[in-house]
Amino acid sequence: MNSPELVQHFEKLFNQQPRIFRAPGRVNLIGEHTDYNDGFVMPAALGFSTYVAIAERPDRKLLIDSEEFAGRLEFDLDHLPSLRTGAWCDYILGVATMLQQRAGNLRGANMLVHGEVPIGAGLSSSAALEVASALAFVSLNNTQLPLPELAQLCRKAENEFVGARVGIMDQFVSCMGKAGHALLLDCRSLDFKFAPIPVGIRLVVCNTKVKHDLATGAYNKRREECEEGVRYFEKLNPAIKALRDVSPEVLERHIDDLPSTIAKRCSHVVHENRRTLDAARALTKSDLSQVGRLMRESHNSLRDLYEVSCHELDVMVDSADGLPGFIGGRMTGGGFGGCTVNLVRWENAEDFAAQVAERYRRATGIDPQTYLCSAEDGAQEVS
Ligand code: GLA
């Protein structure tokens, strides 16, 4: 559905003309499970977006319709649920709640949501929905909120309302992404730089089509394990507030004193931060073979040390080896299923996707999905 169709549909449903806002999903090139350790990430916004059409209502109601989910949802802005309801609209309610806490009452609104970001594939459909809704509310209410702050508000909604302890990466890149570039983000200061993805390189995203149940529980467990690591290092040096502050040398010196699981988790995060900074430098210099090597090291570390990969992701990553035009690839996002991201020369991208899919199908019996992507702009109003 394109935006004129969305407008038409909205007019039919609500007999009003809406404004339309979009926010993209993302893929992370490198820097995995580092955001909540105050570290570095390097994602890119993708061409898939979530669209929110919105128009004002004279009362204090919020009416939400969707192209993908049946049934109209109705809420009273003065009595929003205080915690998640378990429905898809929680991301919108969370954002509305945080905005009301921050900037006072929101105006009543009719909303129509259309999502293109594959759901449950680890491409941040939830962040896209949060950011598109937040932008829609902010614009309807003439509130001034710079995009980096809007990203933080969306993350707060997901942490406190939805109850997922995610980091800032997904919301930030959905807001601030730039066409043709990856975004190197310092998740502590929120300083960022763009690293150009050389012309002639495609991002080939391969969806394993599996999402293992342990994903949420294991995500929170990893966070706790990192916190345990921080407590150990903080005792040695009170200036250490997050794994970001632990250097590879300090880690090496003390690694044998840590319980083995904690040692593995810390080791992943400390080296992944370094890899991410190295990859940003290499990308800026168009040193693609170095970027490819670092991506592979990142995958191996997520598989062996952080233990968030799975059989299907490993098969998908291995399936890329040796194919013409392939530069580097790894699992992307939280793990336990979802997608891999691959840098591939433009002229080889289509064949590459077909061959990876074929190898994966043969090895797992699962029909995967592949997407030929490029880095796109972050959230904005659609005219
Ligand atoms: C999920 C979270 C992000 C980040 C990644 C892992 O996508 O939403 O904040 O922690 O996992 O890098």
Side-chain angles (χ1 to χ4, degrees), residues 1 6 9-10 13-14 50-53 63-73 88-89 92 111-115 119 129:
M1 165 165 304
L6 193 62
H9 192 179
F10 189 96
L13 287 172
F14 297 113
T50 294
Y51 293 80
V52 170
L63 261 54
I64 311 175
D65 253 281
S66 147
E67 290 287 321
E68 285 75 34
F69 299 93
R72 176 172 294 180
L73 301 161
W88 68 273
C89 62
I92 303 177
M111 295 173 94
L112 175 62
V113 177
H114 169 61
I119 294 177
L129 177 55

Side-chain angles (χ1 to χ4, degrees), residues 26 28 31-36 41 122-124 126-127 155 158 164-171 219 223 268 302 306 330-335:
R26 64 98 188 91
N28 187 19
E32 214 66 86
H33 289 278
T34 45
D35 61 353
Y36 52 83
V41 294
L123 300 177
S124 291
S126 25
R155 178 200 179 187
E158 188 150 349
R165 295 186 65 205
V166 295
I168 187 67
M169 168 169 70
D170 305 347
Q171 293 81 4
Y219 186 90
R223 289 200 59 149
H268 166 74
L302 289 157
Y306 217 66
R330 54 184 284 281
M331 58 158 272
T332 186

Side-chain angles (χ1 to χ4, degrees), residues 326-342:
F326 173 62
I327 292 157
R330 54 184 284 281
M331 58 158 272
T332 186
F336 299 104
C339 294
T340 66
V341 57
N342 303 274

Side-chain angles (χ1 to χ4, degrees), residues 133-154:
S133 315
L135 202 55
F137 284 131
V138 161
S139 308
L140 191 75
N141 289 274
N142 301 318
T143 311
Q144 296 306 318
L145 194 60
L147 283 173
E149 283 176 46
L150 187 133
Q152 291 179 75
L153 182 132
C154 290

